[in-house]
Amino acid sequence: MTQSSETMDGPATTPQDTRRAQRLSSTSVAVIAIYGLVVAMILLSRAVSPAFGGLSQVETIFYLAAFLVFCAFGQGLVILVRGLDLSIASLITLGGVLSTALMAGSNDGLFYILPAILLACALIGVVSGIGVTFFAIPPFIMTMAVGIIVYSLCLGFTQGTPRGFPSPLLRDLMQARLLAIPAPIWLLLAFVAVGTVLQGYSAFGRKLNAVGNNPEAAYVAGLSARTLTISAYAVSAACAGLTGILLAAYANGATLRMGDDYLLPSIAAVVVGGSSILGGRGSFLGTVGGALLLTTLATILSALGIGQGWKTILEGLVILVALIVLREQVFDALQAGLRGLKKG
Amino acid sequence: MGLRRTAWRRKWGVSLAALLGTALLAGGMQPAEAKTKDGKWRIYLSLSYSGNSWQSEAANIVKALAKTPPFDKTVELTEVISGTDPQAQISDYESMIANGADGIVSFPISSTALNRTVHRGCQQGTLFFMYDATVTEPCAYNISYITSGFGENSAQALVNALGGKGKIFLSRGVPGNSVDERHTSGAMHVFKQYPGIEIAAEYYSYWDDRTTQQETAKALAAHPDVDGIWAQAGEFGAIQALMQANPDRLVPVTGENSNGFRLALANPDYQAKGLAGVSAGSPPAQSGFAFKLMMEILEGKREPLAEGERNIQYPLPWVPADKVQLCKGDTFEDGCNTFPEGKVPSSFVTEVFNPELLPELSLASALDGKPTADATIQPLPADAVEKAPDAPGINCRQCEAPEDIYSLTKVEPTVKP
């Protein structure tokens, strides 16, 4: 990430070069800190339950976090270009409903139906993107409207009861183990690898960063801010569709409310992961850390024998503390302190 | 406001209440007349929200019945979805009453917030029939299984399956909901009698399969050695989570009526791995019973019940593993109660039919709201109405629960506490 941004911003903002590099490195420190926090929480959770702190807990966390990571990647891209995607919940539902209805419990046509569903979702994302860029509709209004329409289409299409079954192949995939590790975790690792390259190291990702940082400057530099923004919404919608397909395979069926639990957590994962909610800064690895943090927290809270109200209060508090502690100023101060120590 | 009204009532005492009661009773006894121009009954179907299988099936049953002869010629049915906010349902009720509704079949969002509007509607001659959930306003009819003891009976079945001791999870419904609280207090009444039963985790699953699956997966991470799960609706998710965590070890699970759960209960492979349990709980068929009963009263074929006598209990479905029977066709025939794999989604709630009360229905009715070919509306059996016991805050105000409120009706304890 660090190198890429230097080449990207080099010509436009020469005097800021060093400051920017420094800021980015503090972002990566923040990312490392999140993973440190996750590991610490897992180790500490042994106090909550003796079964915790082991591999099976880590496995459950990765497994459950996978769905959040899939949709948070798209959310992260949209936030990167100064947007917000509130249609994620409905598109998860759409992905689930379409995949169970079209696959109808068989593997026939899996390899063209799945891409077709992802494409359909991406096209809906394009609609959101067009509304945001060409008609200058505020992102959260535009995506909320698209989300309501998509949800209503699902409701009308299913008459309230989503039909069909996931493809057996996908269902088995969600249950399968490869080298003693659940297949979805391999899927998660592959997704994280691709996503990290796409957002942090590819030309596409660098351009999105540029547009999010300063749309006018990006335009002057010859980037089509509109096309890039629209494609971020398209990727987000396709990721939500993928989440829905996999969730339906995991739960052996779709429900109309299956996406609701992912909308706000997807935004929280991105922000906890060190991205700026205002756009222009963020890394996918941070988002993955954010998703792992939220899931770890939920797993531990679930094992605490306390009332639902207290659980929710604790959840909110820990997220708040994480946000405060993981702020870059804190790391800048730490770094300055360390430097001072070295010099001294 | 509420307090003031109570005080006012007390002050004026019995005489006014009696007077009011007589007036209402007289109003109710007159054969009502249809209010639409073409002579059809103007009926509203008021839902909380559409979006889970249960709600949709319950609504589809009413829609299918309204299209079944002779109702297709005599009933004008309008569906209104109010969401999850009682305020929205209040204003929807108000518009229905203003539009001259003859009857409102409804899943009420709150057991108390709607009372004033319902009371006003009753005075204007609108019949209110609540299904599944209830209101405490005495002029409304409540058709519900809530008082039939799902919580305590399923809890006892779980205790029996565990031999009276073990670590269990409670997978509950929606926090703060009176139905969830009634079920859970019934279950806790049983669990508390057995010191060997340890509640290792308790979580809210919002009556949803996928939420149940994820919440159970989280709880299993902390307690992989769980011995049993007591679940409300969403139970199929609990089985999926168990399979996920350890495909070789299942444990007894009690839950509600999803088709996937019943198939799992009857699966010999799963039984060999330790699955046992019972499928009980909320039947969507309540809505159809409520609608037919309302129409019989509206058409003068059945006497209206006196206020305070309008809580009607719907029998609790009770299907242990050995009673699961696959249906060959699209209805519950020959005592079958479950559909074969692949015919309906796993989350489909099987208890949509009732051969005695609702012989008009088939699978297409529950899934798409379509009437069954050649079916006509059959009269309800004369003894269809069973009075429900009082449940304070659920179906009555200022009343007391019977002492034996948690007495077991479906299962005997096989282990001593």
Side-chain angles (χ1 to χ4, degrees):
Chain A
M1 257 201 84
T2 320
Q3 311 90 312
S4 65
S5 332
E6 275 169 9
T7 50
M8 193 57 240
D9 295 346
T13 54
T14 321
Q16 286 184 2
D17 242 351
T18 50
R19 270 199 285 171
R20 184 154 170 71
Q22 194 182 330
R23 192 171 69 167
L24 276 164
S25 74
S26 70
T27 309
S28 25
V29 174
V31 169
I32 295 166
I34 294 175
Y35 287 94
L37 204 58
V38 171
V39 172
M41 278 173 75
I42 291 176
L43 291 178
L44 284 176
S45 68
R46 206 181 268 276
V48 173
S49 158
F52 272 166
L55 276 181
S56 79
Q57 185 201 11
V58 176
E59 201 179 285
T60 307
I61 290 170
F62 270 76
Y63 198 115
L64 291 177
F67 303 108
L68 183 54
V69 168
F70 295 147
C71 58
F73 173 63
Q75 186 71 270
L77 290 188
V78 170
I79 289 176
L80 188 61
V81 295
R82 302 185 168 190
L84 199 59
D85 191 349
L86 297 188
S87 64
I88 277 189
S90 300
L91 280 152
I92 289 176
T93 302
L94 182 70
V97 164
L98 282 181
S99 72
T100 53
L102 296 177
M103 297 311 303
S106 93
N107 288 325
D108 301 340
L110 181 68
F111 294 101
Y112 64 85
I113 290 178
L114 288 194
I117 294 172
L118 294 181
L119 189 67
C121 292
L123 284 175
I124 292 168
V126 168
V127 172
S128 298
I130 288 175
V132 169
T133 52
F134 284 91
F135 297 97
I137 302 169
F140 94 93
I141 298 286
M142 185 64 206
T143 52
M144 186 177 76
V146 166
I148 291 171
I149 294 170
V150 169
Y151 176 77
S152 308
L153 284 176
C154 292
L155 181 59
F157 172 65
T158 58
Q159 303 267 354
T161 312
R163 309 299 158 81
F165 290 89
S167 120
L169 198 69
L170 279 182
R171 203 184 56 209
D172 294 345
L173 179 75
M174 299 309 282
Q175 304 272 359
R177 279 171 183 271
L178 194 66
L179 303 177
I181 292 173
I185 295 182
W186 289 110
L187 204 63
L188 172 69
L189 294 176
F191 187 90
V192 171
V194 173
T196 307
V197 170
L198 197 67
Q199 182 173 344
Y201 297 91
S202 74
F204 175 65
R206 287 174 213 172
K207 287 176 185 168
L208 286 184
N209 265 297
V211 169
N213 253 317
N214 189 336
E216 289 79 22
Y219 180 76
V220 171
L223 297 177
S224 168
R226 281 177 172 168
T227 316
L228 284 164
T229 304
I230 292 172
S231 51
Y233 282 94
V235 172
S236 176
C239 285
L242 176 72
T243 311
I245 293 171
L246 295 176
L247 264 180
Y250 166 69
N252 200 21
T255 62
L256 286 174
R257 293 278 170 199
M258 61 195 282
D260 289 12
D261 294 347
Y262 291 92
L263 176 56
L264 293 179
S266 76
I267 300 171
V270 171
V271 176
V272 170
S275 299
S276 162
I277 190 81
L278 302 173
R281 180 169 55 82
S283 76
F284 182 44
L285 279 179
T287 302
V288 176
L292 288 173
L293 184 78
L294 293 177
T295 313
T296 308
L297 181 60
T299 316
I300 296 172
L301 285 178
S302 142
L304 286 176
I306 51 174
Q308 182 72 12
W310 287 111
K311 281 184 192 171
T312 325
I313 290 172
L314 264 178
E315 189 167 17
L317 280 177
V318 173
I319 293 175
L320 258 179
V321 169
L323 277 175
I324 293 168
V325 172
L326 296 174
R327 262 185 326 180
E328 61 179 289
Q329 286 91 323
V330 175
F331 293 105
D332 287 348
L334 270 178
Q335 241 173 6
L338 280 176
R339 238 175 256 142
L341 275 180
K342 273 181 198 162
K343 275 178 193 165
Chain B
M1 190 67 203
L3 263 175
R4 235 169 62 198
R5 201 173 53 178
T6 322
W8 182 81
R9 274 225 178 124
R10 284 212 190 103
K11 195 173 164 188
W12 287 91
V14 190
S15 59
L16 191 79
L19 199 71
L20 201 71
T22 332
L24 277 175
L25 203 65
M29 287 302 262
Q30 280 168 8
E33 279 186 32
K35 288 171 188 164
T36 55
K37 275 181 197 150
D38 52 2
K40 286 186 174 182
W41 298 104
R42 182 169 281 164
I43 308 295
Y44 288 89
L45 173 60
S46 166
L47 305 174
S48 159
Y49 70 104
S50 198
N52 71 27
S53 302
W54 192 97
Q55 290 277 352
S56 310
E57 289 171 31
N60 285 339
I61 287 171
V62 175
K63 288 191 248 180
L65 287 173
K67 288 179 204 154
T68 306
F71 287 170
D72 59 335
K73 302 268 185 329
T74 59
V75 171
E76 181 196 282
L77 183 77
T78 312
E79 181 188 19
V80 178
I81 298 175
S82 307
T84 48
D85 173 24
Q87 209 57 43
Q89 197 165 33
I90 288 173
S91 76
D92 286 334
Y93 280 0
E94 292 286 357
S95 342
M96 294 171 198
I97 297 165
N99 282 345
D102 291 302
I104 297 175
V105 187
S106 178
F107 177 93
I109 296 168
S110 157
S111 59
T112 50
L114 306 163
N115 282 352
R116 192 167 310 200
T117 313
V118 170
H119 185 76
R120 224 177 55 74
C122 289
Q123 286 175 323
Q124 309 245 331
T126 302
L127 288 182
F128 282 87
F129 273 71
M130 308 301 179
Y131 62 83
D132 191 66
T134 51
V135 295
T136 55
E137 166 56 47
C139 80
Y141 290 81
N142 289 315
I143 283 83
S144 178
Y145 80 108
I146 289 182
T147 48
S148 68
F150 164 73
E152 50 273 25
N153 281 291
S154 59
Q156 186 64 55
L158 186 64
V159 169
N160 289 353
L162 296 177
K165 58 175 191 290
K167 275 171 98 170
I168 60 168
F169 295 162
L170 304 189
S171 173
R172 300 180 57 173
V174 174
N177 184 289
S178 60
V179 178
D180 167 70
E181 275 163 19
R182 170 63 184 84
H183 289 343
T184 307
S185 56
M188 288 309 296
H189 174 79
V190 171
F191 291 140
K192 274 184 190 149
Q193 298 167 17
Y194 292 88
I197 294 285
E198 180 203 342
I199 293 165
E202 182 175 348
Y203 42 88
Y204 289 96
S205 302
Y206 294 81
W207 294 319
D208 175 73
D209 275 4
R210 198 192 45 72
T211 313
T212 309
Q213 187 173 353
Q214 294 195 334
E215 292 302 318
T216 307
K218 285 179 203 163
L220 279 169
H223 307 283
D225 56 342
V226 70
D227 299 301
I229 299 178
W230 177 86
Q232 298 184 25
E235 68 286 339
F236 185 60
I239 300 217
Q240 303 252 94
L242 285 169
M243 300 278 293
Q244 187 77 53
N246 186 351
D248 300 321
R249 177 178 180 263
L250 294 174
V251 297
V253 177
T254 60
E256 299 208 21
N257 301 314
S258 70
N259 205 61
F261 179 48
R262 288 200 177 167
L263 287 174
L265 277 182
N267 185 325
D269 285 349
Y270 292 2
Q271 289 173 353
K273 288 173 186 169
L275 180 64
V278 63
S279 156
S282 171
Q286 296 166 106
S287 68
F289 179 45
F291 177 58
K292 276 179 72 175
L293 192 62
M294 181 177 80
M295 290 311 299
E296 290 195 354
I297 291 176
L298 211 49
E299 290 176 330
K301 292 176 182 165
R302 187 180 278 268
E303 290 290 307
L305 300 171
E307 277 195 27
E309 306 284 313
R310 294 182 171 176
N311 292 322
I312 297 164
Q313 180 161 295
Y314 194 94
L316 181 69
W318 188 260
V319 183
D322 58 339
K323 293 276 160 52
V324 174
Q325 269 189 48
L326 293 190
C327 295
K328 296 186 182 72
D330 284 356
T331 54
F332 278 8
E333 285 165 333
D334 311 320
C336 76
N337 49 31
T338 308
F339 292 101
E341 180 113 44
K343 185 138 190 156
V344 293
S346 314
S347 61
F348 182 82
V349 185
T350 38
E351 288 290 331
V352 284
F353 306 126
N354 185 318
E356 279 133 43
L357 301 177
L358 304 164
E360 303 88 355
L361 299 174
S362 65
L363 205 50
S365 322
L367 284 173
D368 300 310
K370 288 183 184 146
T372 310
D374 304 327
T376 53
I377 298 292
Q378 304 297 312
L380 290 168
D383 60 351
V385 170
E386 180 196 345
K387 190 181 179 315
D390 281 352
I394 290 178
N395 62 17
C396 55
R397 298 182 286 229
Q398 295 162 353
C399 54
E400 294 207 357
E403 278 187 7
D404 60 345
I405 178 169
Y406 297 133
S407 65
L408 299 171
T409 49
K410 294 289 182 183
V411 62
E412 294 289 323
T414 58
V415 275
K416 287 244 159 62

